[in-house]
Amino acid sequence: MADPVMEESDSLPGKEELDWGYEEGVEWGLLFPEANGENQSPINLNSREARYDPRLLEVGLTPNYVVCRDCEVINDGHTVRIMLKSKSVVTGGPLPSDHEFELHEVRFHWGKENQRGSEHTVNFKAFPMELHLIHWNSTLFNTMDDAMGKKNGILIIALFVQIGKEHLGLKAVTEVLQDLQYKGKTKIIPCFNPNTLLPDPLLRDYWVYEGSLTTPPCSEKVTWILYRYPLTISQMQIEEFRRLRSHIKGAELPEGNDGLLGDNFRPTQPLSDRMVRAAFQ
């Protein structure tokens, strides 16, 4: 009979079971060859070098998100994941016309201190947190796994997060993080509204580029949309994330490892000859 502890991570493909982390000097490319690709994420967004593309505004980026009932929130040892059951989709903007991209999950990346944490940087400035709404093309593919690494397969909408007033939409999540202290812990929350993570629909300012997943296996052909205006969460809310642990309860930690989950961001990768487009001037 299977060991029940392993089943908690059965949503991850087998390859991701290989041990990886964010310690300095860890070479993901040795285990995951795609991490050595030319079009990797995250990147530094140089606002002066982004090219304004008015075509991005011809068809507005249109999220059609619905409230998710009984959403599962997971501490997988690398990040916090909100797994969405109800069918929320996004269309328009830079996406191929008549293609729907379905929201699969939300992931968070944060720093142990406020001056770092985001994966992408803007003019070399980092934010304390970045959240990713991960979508797959449900017009072309049957599952998220089918869409990985395929042209027009995966869309990630990213939002930078700054510290300020409390974020009411994320309260449902930050309130239960104390129950998810250790790796493998999950919690069902009664209600989560992904619409609360998006800026005002009138704020259509975003950047677009082609990149990769920022976690192994680092598959490419990912369309990234990064909103220019950050979300705001309170200092207390980000501290709830910083209290989480990257190990299972009772695990023996290597020397010098405090076991806290944080600084779970990949360093920025070379832009090479890619173009970043902007939907604003």
Side-chain angles (χ1 to χ4, degrees):
M1 200 171 122
D3 177 355
V5 178
M6 289 305 290
E7 286 175 7
E8 293 195 322
S9 58
D10 65 2
S11 59
L12 302 175
K15 207 169 172 190
E16 277 198 26
E17 296 294 351
L18 291 168
D19 208 19
W20 59 273
Y22 290 96
E23 299 79 35
E24 216 157 318
V26 172
E27 284 293 336
W28 289 358
L30 296 174
L31 288 175
F32 307 95
E34 288 167 279
N36 299 320
E38 290 285 293
N39 298 322
Q40 289 288 296
S41 296
I43 59 168
N44 172 57
L45 292 154
N46 183 325
S47 60
R48 280 179 299 282
E49 287 177 10
R51 191 178 76 199
Y52 171 57
D53 183 354
R55 289 172 311 174
L56 292 172
L57 298 173
E58 284 170 13
V59 180
L61 186 65
T62 310
N64 191 355
Y65 290 169
V66 295
V67 172
C68 175
R69 306 278 170 207
D70 298 332
C71 254
E72 187 180 25
V73 186
I74 304 169
N75 171 356
D76 71 358
H78 298 299
T79 184
V80 170
R81 303 167 69 183
I82 307 171
M83 309 307 294
L84 295 151
K85 288 199 190 78
S86 41
K87 186 164 170 148
S88 286
V89 298
V90 62
T91 56
L95 305 172
S97 57
D98 305 326
H99 287 216
E100 280 191 340
F101 284 76
E102 187 172 326
L103 180 59
H104 181 259
E105 64 176 293
V106 181
R107 293 189 185 194
F108 299 81
H109 299 269
W110 65 93
K112 292 182 177 179
E113 295 177 5
N114 285 350
Q115 65 267 42
R116 61 177 188 265
S118 64
E119 297 211 293
H120 291 82
T121 53
V122 180
N123 303 326
F124 301 104
K125 174 191 181 322
F127 290 81
M129 180 181 260
E130 180 173 327
L131 64 86
H132 293 161
L133 295 108
I134 301 172
H135 306 71
W136 57 281
N137 186 329
S138 52
T139 305
L140 291 183
F141 303 100
N142 294 320
T143 65
M144 169 97 175
D145 282 349
D146 287 348
M148 293 247 281
K150 310 272 189 358
K151 185 174 164 58
N152 295 321
I154 302 289
L155 160 72
I156 301 180
I157 295 181
L159 288 132
F160 296 111
V161 180
Q162 63 189 6
I163 306 298
K165 63 179 197 300
E166 181 179 63
H167 191 286
L168 296 174
L170 280 174
K171 209 171 162 176
V173 177
T174 52
E175 278 179 342
V176 299
L177 291 181
Q178 63 213 33
D179 301 325
L180 300 176
Q181 190 171 13
Y182 292 99
K183 176 182 176 176
K185 292 282 182 203
T186 71
K187 181 91 179 166
I188 303 291
I189 55 174
C191 178
F192 176 71
N193 183 356
N195 287 299
T196 61
L197 304 180
L198 297 172
D200 180 318
L202 299 173
L203 296 176
R204 294 179 304 179
D205 296 15
Y206 60 81
W207 293 282
V208 188
Y209 80 98
E210 292 299 313
S212 73
L213 302 179
T214 61
T215 54
C218 302
S219 321
E220 295 190 338
K221 299 191 170 68
V222 172
T223 301
W224 280 90
I225 292 177
L226 297 111
Y227 275 106
R228 177 186 184 185
Y229 293 101
L231 288 180
T232 302
I233 66 172
S234 68
Q235 186 66 42
M236 270 174 71
Q237 283 182 303
I238 201 166
E239 294 300 344
E240 292 293 344
F241 283 92
R242 289 176 179 155
R243 278 199 271 275
L244 298 173
R245 299 188 166 267
S246 60
H247 56 88
I248 56 175
K249 194 170 183 175
E252 282 204 24
L253 297 175
E255 202 172 328
N257 182 342
D258 61 8
L260 291 172
L261 181 49
D263 290 344
N264 56 349
F265 54 91
R266 187 185 191 192
T268 54
Q269 304 294 306
L271 183 62
S272 304
D273 52 6
R274 287 177 284 175
M275 167 66 67
V276 177
R277 294 181 294 153
F280 58 94
Q281 279 177 295

